[in-house]
Amino acid sequence: MRRGKWLLMLLLSGSTTVFAQEPVVSAMDSMAIKTLFFAGLKEKLNENYPKAAENFDKLLKIDPDNSAAYFEIATLNFRQNKLMESEMAIKKATFLNPNNIWYWKLLAELYKRKGDMDNLVGVFDKLIALSPDEDSYYFDKSNALLLAGKEEAALKGYDVLEKKFGPSDALTEARQRVSMGRGDGLDKKEVEKILAENVSDVKSLLYTSGVLVQKKQNAEALAVLKKAKELEPDNFEVDLAMADVYSALKNNTEAHISLKKAFGNVMMPVDQKVKIVVMLLGGKKDQLRVDAAAELAMIATKVHTDDPKVFALYGDVLYQQGDLQGALTQFKSVLKMTDQLYAVWEQMLNIQTSLGLYKEAIKTADDALSVYPNQAILYYYMALALQNDNQNALALTTIKTALQLDAENPLYIECYGDVLFLKGDKDLGLAQWKKAKSAGNDSEKLNKKINEKKYIQ
């Protein structure tokens, strides 16, 4: 009786949890679903992806368990290189309809692009279960295991493939690649054989080149990659691998050309581009590296015109180049896209106060605090701007708020002393300067303030 009453309550409350696999859709809703679906497909063919997504989103509001709509949304995001959004949608589709082989194929392509070999292996297990007579799934699974560094598991997979489908040249080559990785690399004749063979598997050529690089056979690796480049001229993974090899060969010009080619490819994930630029900016300051990072970041902004992370990255590079106005323009464009990148707010305030744009900084700080009200440094920048705009009373209140959030920060304590001194409370201001010094601030300017007992701009 209790169970029956519980089910009745669910039905009365409008819950569809119990019947999630078989939602009830009225005839009118069914017609609307078809209309929206085909409208979405039409916009997709016209490459109007935002409009297509809008139609599929409307469809899901009527039928939230429509796996085909999730698949289409995943496809749209995949084409726009929005991999996280694509993964969320296609996983929903596979959950709702686990027997649709096309859903798993898309998920496989997504993991290939992300380089997530561990999850890719699991997807191939699903594909093999759904289509056990498709030999390519077994082969691709073993290759994924190999790329994941699981050589023994890959070899066992090749054994399963041979037992089920018989021997093949591709299998022999795959096993040779494993042996090559374990041994001393390839001699000249073996490399020439690879180059002469009618190989069409770019992934295997990439793997071979990687092994050759590990064995310090950079010239041979480059030859293999050039063959891969002939097969797939627009494969960004090949361009990245070539950049690495050229760098190893001390050919920085060609390495940069290959990187620019990869960065100009929309298929290369944004996070990977960000990682490379950050790496170039890191370590010992080198103007050539900074300039190279700037060029690559600029290319990325032209390819990913709606990605705030890319524009923020370019802003950081411009800042490091000393182009404060250019960096400020970039950060402003980021905030037009999103207000959720905290570092952008802080960088903008840093630049505006450095350039003496105090009224702009006050407005920026006010906007930033509406999003991040508990960040002490935002109050500090606002107090600094207010002080320089001769609004000392408000500056005093603001810097006190910063100190409530971070009482031991010597920078905030110094600013507090500045405002007190400017308001006429010179003794208390001097006391705060000394407190800032004892808290760890040993700047030349602060020492001059203490020694000369006066405020120094």
Side-chain angles (χ1 to χ4, degrees), residues 22-48:
E22 298 181 18
V24 178
V25 179
S26 69
M28 187 176 293
D29 283 345
S30 180
M31 183 61 69
I33 288 168
K34 289 178 182 177
T35 301
L36 288 167
F37 191 83
F38 286 111
L41 290 180
K42 181 181 177 181
E43 297 296 349
K44 176 184 166 185
L45 289 171
N46 292 332
E47 298 187 359
N48 187 350

Side-chain angles (χ1 to χ4, degrees), residues 176-192:
Q176 286 174 345
R177 288 197 297 272
V178 178
S179 300
M180 176 182 67
R182 290 173 166 177
D184 297 323
L186 293 173
D187 61 31
K188 186 176 180 181
K189 287 185 178 179
E190 289 173 312
V191 173
E192 288 175 350

